[in-house]
Amino acid sequence: MALDEDAAQVYSPQKKKVPSDEEKRKKKIVPGSLMKALMRPGGGEATPTDGDQVIYHCTVRTLDGVVVESTRSENGGKGIPVRHVLGKSKMILGLLEGIPTMLKGEVAMFKIKPQLHYGEDDCPVAVPTTFPKDDELHFEIEMIEFSKAKVITDDFGVVKKVIDEGQGWESPREPYEVKAWISAKSGDGELIFSHTQEPYFFTYGRSEVPKGLEMGIGTMAREEKAVIYVTDRYLTTSPLMPVVEGFKEVHFEVELIHFIQVRDMLGDGRLMKRRLCDGKGEFPMDCPLHDSVLRVHYKGMLLNEEKRVFYDTRVDNNGRPLEFSSGEGMVPEGFEMCVRLMLPGEIALVTSPPDYAYDNFARPAGVPEGAHIQWEIELIGFDMPKDWTGMNFQSIMEDAEKIRGTVCIQGNRLFKEEKFELAKAKYEKVLREFNHVNPQDDEEGKVFSETRNLLNLNVAACFLKMGECRKSIEACNKVIDTNPVHVKALYRRGMAYMAAGDFEEAKSDFRMMTKIDKSSEPDATAALLKLKQKEQEVKKKAQKQFKGLFDKKPGEIADVGSENRDQIINENENERSIGENDADEDVAEDFHDAANDAPRMGLLYRLWPTGARLFSAIGLQRCSIL
């Protein structure tokens, strides 16, 4: 009989599910091998399930009533009940099957054949050789309690039972400051200590509480209540619990009142940010990581015994907040680094060393050199850069030209103040914004390319001033790739080659300039003259250093000069301005009025990588500030 093709079905055998080790073990249970007798009924209807921590007393007897082992003190035990997490802890097969049948408070007797207790082949629980593991035994079990638990260590040395859920998602971590009610009992229920009269205050990560307790608190949220079970392996001495000897297990009852977010901004404990009041939003997405216009209230104090206030915006600024643009060096570096990691409405206490405060910034009256500073900062709000999404090319370029003009004025000012890292960041910021611009025709492409080339040349100049010649060359190459006859790019690349000691490449770029544009001949001639001088200096230095090395007879030792090699990373003093045209720059307002007469600074910002330090502080080392 022929079958219709549509009705035909192809049989494909399904793969058999591989049974788990626990399922394989349960196949050993046969009728009569495990029997249960109820001695005292329990309460409620719930029974333990996988993932629950079960706490029970256990007494093992032979069939004629002889006690083999027990957790109860009256039967020779230590009085500490057994704790297991169903589905995770290693248990004998009889109890693995029997305990999930029990209610809270129930007492039951399990009669277990050897193959279902310690006599099982490959039993995961070891016993002494004297244990009668080949005998049928009675296990008297009293179910004290069971509940969902969080296993914190793989060996079950630290387990947490949540009593009341907390608020929020954040948990303490190093070096947060924590305040909590804490009391402790031994495994048999004896009170060890109680901090219920006043909360205990400690810094996370400084071993001020036992290791296991700290690990457990590190999983808690604000206002959470929990019991943290800690075995002796994780009981370390601390100010909270100086003596731990003699305790096999300790149960810590904890209510996490509050914790203060503390960030070690530099990783060496010098620049610390403490969050006193939470802000609004999600961290770090709603922080002013991008260059923005920020509004803050702050109080500046000397970090000494008096903590004298030297400036307060609410008093000294007529109650108006300080408004400044980030990324322009308008506030001390430590101040800006911390504000960038704040949420609107957040209040933070920042302690800063002198080099991140006023030793490298305009120092206010009354602040001595070398002073450690404490700022109490409230971020009122900030304005983000304009979003170009959905705008046409002409509108974008008009907006970009305004931004570029402003940025170049700011960048040129920072460049002249020798804050090369900051100036470079300004130009690079606009270049990153240009990644979203898509010219639609050749004319638009030409306008776009010219603007981008100017910014790349400014970046190249910054790299050259910072001594990073190869990066300067790469920035020039971006211009030359789009316009091989760009005279200024050739000139700047030649200067970078010369600084790097690549004299032939530099000579080629300077000569190419005169072929492309006769008006550039004076600059090219001056650069070639400078190049020739450098070549001669290097040659003379080499001759002097190796003089006599090859004049000695075999076996004689020549004296080689030990002078350090002269640095040749110098620039042509006649190099053009980093902008296409010299611009009139407005000097940025001082950090506050009291600093108007203070000297300008430059050294700190030559070493500034604010963005890198900020993202390092939050674990995103490979990100950049956009």
Side-chain angles (χ1 to χ4, degrees):
M1 180 178 178
L3 292 174
D4 186 75
E5 287 186 5
D6 293 336
Q9 296 181 354
V10 179
Y11 175 75
S12 57
Q14 295 182 348
K15 293 182 179 180
K16 292 183 179 180
K17 182 180 178 181
V18 179
S20 65
D21 292 340
E22 188 174 307
E23 290 172 336
K24 291 178 181 178
R25 290 182 70 199
K26 288 186 176 182
K27 289 182 178 180
K28 300 175 183 178
I29 301 174
V30 296
S33 60
L34 174 63
M35 301 181 70
K36 174 184 177 183
L38 183 63
M39 300 176 65
R40 187 183 73 192
E45 298 179 355
T47 56
T49 58
D50 277 0
D52 284 356
Q53 176 178 253
V54 292
I55 302 177
Y56 59 91
H57 273 297
C58 176
T59 300
V60 182
R61 296 184 177 90
T62 61
L63 295 186
D64 55 5
V66 177
V67 174
V68 177
E69 67 174 7
S70 178
T71 60
R72 296 183 179 279
S73 55
E74 61 267 28
N75 291 327
K78 297 181 178 180
I80 302 174
V82 179
R83 286 191 304 106
H84 281 140
V85 178
L86 294 181
K88 296 182 179 181
S89 298
K90 295 177 181 180
M91 299 176 64
I92 60 173
L93 184 54
L95 296 185
L96 186 65
E97 184 74 6
I99 282 181
T101 69
M102 300 184 69
L103 301 172
K104 183 177 180 179
E106 178 181 325
V107 179
M109 181 72 76
F110 292 93
K111 184 179 181 181
I112 306 178
K113 296 286 187 181
Q115 64 269 25
L116 299 190
H117 59 70
Y118 301 103
E120 176 190 5
D121 294 337
D122 300 321
C123 180
V125 185
V127 290
T129 54
T130 56
F131 193 91
K133 61 181 182 179
D134 296 326
D135 295 344
E136 188 173 346
L137 299 172
H138 285 161
F139 287 74
E140 180 186 311
I141 305 295
E142 179 186 2
M143 179 60 66
I144 298 173
E145 68 167 288
F146 56 87
S147 60
K148 293 296 179 185
K150 179 178 179 63
V151 178
I152 296 173
T153 60
D154 293 337
D155 60 358
F156 306 98
V158 183
V159 177
K160 183 185 77 171
K161 179 183 76 173
V162 176
I163 299 173
D164 292 329
E165 297 287 346
Q167 303 294 322
W169 57 271
E170 193 173 20
S171 297
R173 60 181 181 273
E174 187 177 357
Y176 283 23
E177 296 171 349
V178 181
K179 185 186 291 185
W181 301 109
I182 304 175
S183 61
K185 295 180 180 179
S186 61
D188 58 2
E190 182 181 348
L191 182 67
I192 301 172
F193 66 81
S194 177
H195 277 275
T196 55
Q197 298 300 317
E198 60 179 23
Y200 187 73
F201 179 86
F202 69 96
T203 300
Y204 195 96
R206 294 189 181 175
S207 303
E208 295 175 2
V209 298
K211 178 181 178 181
L213 174 60
E214 187 170 72
M215 293 172 70
I217 290 176
T219 68
M220 296 178 68
R222 283 186 178 86
E223 301 179 16
E224 179 179 332
K225 294 181 181 180
V227 177
I228 300 172
Y229 302 87
V230 181
T231 61
D232 55 354
R233 181 177 180 181
Y234 297 92
L235 285 175
T236 55
T237 57
S238 65
L240 176 68
M241 191 173 175
V243 179
V244 297
E245 290 79 7
F247 294 105
K248 188 71 175 176
E249 181 174 290
V250 176
H251 303 169
F252 294 97
E253 297 181 8
V254 181
E255 179 182 353
L256 186 55
I257 300 173
H258 185 67
F259 54 83
I260 297 174
Q261 183 201 67
V262 180
R263 291 193 179 279
D264 187 346
M265 301 297 295
L266 303 175
D268 57 9
R270 297 192 305 132
L271 179 61
M272 304 295 291
K273 171 183 175 289
R274 290 172 171 82
R275 187 174 62 193
L276 303 181
C277 179
D278 294 341
K280 296 180 180 178
E282 294 294 327
F283 181 88
M285 291 78 73
D286 295 321
C287 295
L289 297 174
H290 306 261
D291 284 351
S292 312
V293 177
L294 301 102
R295 294 175 298 281
V296 301
H297 270 302
Y298 82 97
K299 182 190 298 182
M301 297 164 280
L302 296 179
L303 197 59
N304 53 23
E305 292 182 1
E306 296 83 14
K307 287 194 175 181
R308 182 176 60 82
V309 176
F310 59 83
Y311 193 82
D312 187 341
T313 53
R314 288 183 168 87
V315 176
D316 302 307
N317 201 35
N318 297 320
R320 292 180 289 106
L322 170 72
E323 184 172 298
F324 68 96
S325 297
S326 56
E328 296 183 15
M330 298 176 71
V331 297
E333 185 176 11
F335 189 100
E336 181 167 325
M337 286 179 66
C338 293
V339 172
R340 282 180 181 261
L341 294 182
M342 294 176 66
L343 292 167
E346 179 180 336
I347 300 176
L349 192 66
V350 175
T351 56
S352 174
D355 53 331
Y356 280 79
Y358 295 108
D359 273 14
N360 294 301
F361 194 80
R363 195 161 55 250
V367 175
E369 185 177 359
H372 287 72
I373 301 299
Q374 189 171 79
W375 294 296
E376 184 179 299
I377 307 170
E378 179 183 359
L379 177 59
I380 307 300
F382 61 92
D383 298 327
M384 292 292 293
K386 189 173 181 179
D387 186 3
W388 288 341
T389 305
M391 295 173 60
N392 60 40
F393 179 80
Q394 183 177 354
S395 299
I396 291 174
M397 289 309 297
E398 288 175 357
D399 196 40
E401 187 59 30
K402 294 177 184 177
I403 295 173
R404 190 189 72 82
T406 302
V407 165
C408 284
I409 291 173
Q410 296 167 347
N412 292 353
R413 174 181 61 81
L414 292 167
F415 188 93
K416 289 182 178 180
E417 292 176 3
E418 299 185 356
K419 302 172 186 176
F420 305 121
E421 185 75 40
L422 278 176
K424 178 177 69 70
K426 285 292 179 186
Y427 303 130
E428 288 179 332
K429 176 182 179 296
V430 182
L431 282 170
R432 285 194 295 271
E433 294 293 340
F434 274 21
N435 291 333
H436 306 294
V437 180
N438 298 301
Q440 300 301 311
D441 53 43
D442 292 343
E443 187 61 31
E444 290 183 355
K446 182 180 179 181
V447 174
F448 174 70
S449 180
E450 289 175 354
T451 304
R452 188 171 57 181
N453 285 344
L454 292 176
L455 291 165
N456 275 316
L457 286 175
N458 288 358
V459 170
C462 292
F463 275 129
L464 191 56
K465 283 290 189 180
M466 294 161 61
E468 299 188 40
C469 303
R470 294 301 168 191
K471 291 183 179 180
S472 181
I473 293 167
E474 291 173 6
C476 292
N477 286 340
K478 292 178 182 178
V479 178
I480 294 171
D481 288 344
T482 61
N483 184 2
V485 294
H486 199 295
V487 175
K488 192 167 186 178
L490 289 168
Y491 177 77
R492 191 149 289 159
R493 188 175 70 173
M495 298 300 293
Y497 275 135
M498 181 166 60
D502 298 332
F503 299 138
E504 289 303 317
E505 289 84 350
K507 192 179 299 181
S508 176
D509 280 348
F510 295 145
R511 287 174 176 171
M512 180 64 69
M513 288 172 57
T514 59
K515 294 180 181 179
I516 295 170
D517 184 358
K518 289 296 182 182
S519 66
S520 68
E521 189 170 346
D523 289 326
T525 301
L528 287 167
L529 180 61
K530 182 71 173 178
L531 179 64
K532 186 176 180 179
Q533 293 173 348
K534 282 187 173 291
E535 286 183 300
Q536 291 174 347
E537 290 172 6
V538 172
K539 186 176 180 180
K540 289 179 181 178
K541 187 67 179 177
Q543 289 174 344
K544 183 178 180 181
Q545 186 171 2
F546 295 102
K547 182 180 179 180
L549 181 62
F550 302 106
D551 295 340
K552 300 294 181 180
K553 295 179 181 179
E556 293 182 334
I557 299 175
D559 295 327
V560 180
S562 59
E563 296 180 11
N564 292 330
R565 189 164 164 253
D566 289 341
Q567 292 185 346
I568 62 172
I569 304 178
N570 294 309
E571 292 185 44
N572 188 338
E573 295 178 357
N574 297 321
E575 184 180 0
R576 301 178 185 179
S577 170
I578 62 171
E580 186 66 14
N581 297 300
D582 290 334
D584 293 330
E585 297 96 15
D586 295 327
V587 178
E589 294 181 6
D590 291 328
F591 186 43
H592 46 67
D593 296 339
N596 285 337
D597 297 327
R600 297 166 71 186
M601 75 303 174
L603 176 60
L604 173 62
Y605 291 100
R606 297 178 202 172
L607 307 176
W608 167 295
T610 297
R613 293 189 185 122
L614 281 170
F615 280 98
S616 176
I618 60 175
L620 304 173
Q621 289 90 336
R622 294 185 178 272
C623 295
S624 300
I625 295 178
L626 299 178

